[in-house]
Amino acid sequence: MKKRIAIFASGSGSNAQKLMEHFKRNTEVEVALVLTNNPDAYVLQRADSFEIPSHIFDKQEFYKTDNIIDLLKNLDIDLIVLAGFLWLIPKNLIQEYPGRIVNIHPAILPKFGGKGMYGDFVHKAVMEANETEGGITIHYVDENYDEGEYIYQAKYKIEKGDNLEMIKFKGQQLEHLHYPKVVETIIKKIKK
């Protein structure tokens, strides 16, 4: 029986797409569901093109009910992967999936993490701090933003002339290269 991943995303879903591509022909692991809090998220079209079912939810459903947990359990989800998902994960979901929720952050944590630090906000903060390196952190999710145990970090060099788009591009290259491989390593260790 295949191990099953649920991806949570709030926006475009480029990392979600890389995960879907990576596991498309995998005989042991599949992306079984894409969930979003944004009915206009492009990730829904990406999921559709891979014929992966999706679920749209609101704050009420996410924080005040067990509907999401019930859905994940009914689909026999083994690992939750956050790919540009911007809401804090509720305690009941973390308790249901201990050590089985991972996230990717577009900086070398603990720098440039926390509430409100996502996407371009992170890249701008890195630029304004005159950092010579940027990077990514793949980490487990706990009840606080970006404080879960680190799984993997990778860095890139920031050159003098790099603008926001260049820094963002370098970071995304690392995300797309490493996230699917790290997720595969993690899920293979999970006992079915």
Side-chain angles (χ1 to χ4, degrees):
M1 207 163 112
K2 282 187 177 184
K3 291 182 181 172
R4 310 188 84 195
I5 294 171
I7 298 174
F8 282 71
S10 294
S12 167
S14 67
N15 274 313
Q17 171 142 355
K18 292 297 176 189
L19 288 159
M20 291 181 241
E21 288 170 1
H22 184 83
F23 292 110
K24 186 174 173 54
R25 289 182 178 76
N26 192 302
T27 56
E28 297 172 30
V29 181
E30 68 180 330
V31 176
L33 181 66
V34 171
L35 302 99
T36 186
N37 58 316
N38 177 1
D40 300 319
Y42 188 66
V43 74
L44 292 168
Q45 291 175 33
R46 294 183 195 264
D48 199 39
S49 70
F50 282 85
E51 298 180 346
I52 295 170
S54 56
H55 178 76
I56 302 165
F57 57 88
D58 60 16
K59 276 200 160 108
Q60 169 70 26
E61 184 179 11
F62 196 51
Y63 291 110
K64 305 283 190 220
T65 75
D66 284 333
N67 293 1
I68 300 297
I69 290 172
D70 294 343
L71 176 62
L72 296 170
K73 285 166 79 173
N74 288 340
L75 290 173
D76 200 24
I77 297 299
D78 298 290
L79 183 69
I80 296 169
V81 179
L82 309 185
F85 183 69
L86 303 181
W87 289 359
L88 196 63
I89 301 301
K91 198 175 278 190
N92 63 341
L93 187 50
I94 291 168
Q95 288 168 345
E96 195 64 46
Y97 284 86
R100 293 191 295 145
I101 306 174
V102 296
N103 185 37
I104 190 161
H105 185 77
I108 298 292
L109 291 172
K111 283 184 169 182
F112 311 109
K115 187 170 171 55
M117 291 303 282
Y118 60 89
D120 285 354
F121 294 112
V122 174
H123 302 303
K124 284 177 186 163
V126 168
M127 274 184 72
E128 287 165 8
N130 293 315
E131 294 286 325
T132 57
E133 289 180 323
I136 62 165
T137 301
I138 299 168
H139 64 92
Y140 288 107
V141 173
D142 65 13
E143 288 143 26
N144 302 304
Y145 285 109
D146 304 323
E147 290 182 15
E149 179 190 343
Y150 305 157
I151 302 164
Y152 182 85
Q153 293 184 311
K155 296 177 181 176
Y156 60 85
K157 186 135 185 61
I158 298 175
E159 307 294 342
K160 272 204 179 356
D162 284 356
N163 62 14
L164 182 67
E165 287 306 309
M166 197 64 205
I167 288 172
K168 189 171 164 178
F169 175 76
K170 287 178 179 182
Q172 275 193 325
Q173 293 293 100
L174 283 183
E175 290 177 16
H176 295 167
L177 176 67
H178 296 291
Y179 206 22
K181 293 178 197 168
V182 172
V183 166
E184 184 169 9
T185 301
I186 293 164
I187 198 164
K188 282 187 171 176
K189 292 177 186 168
I190 293 173
K191 302 275 186 275
K192 194 73 170 150

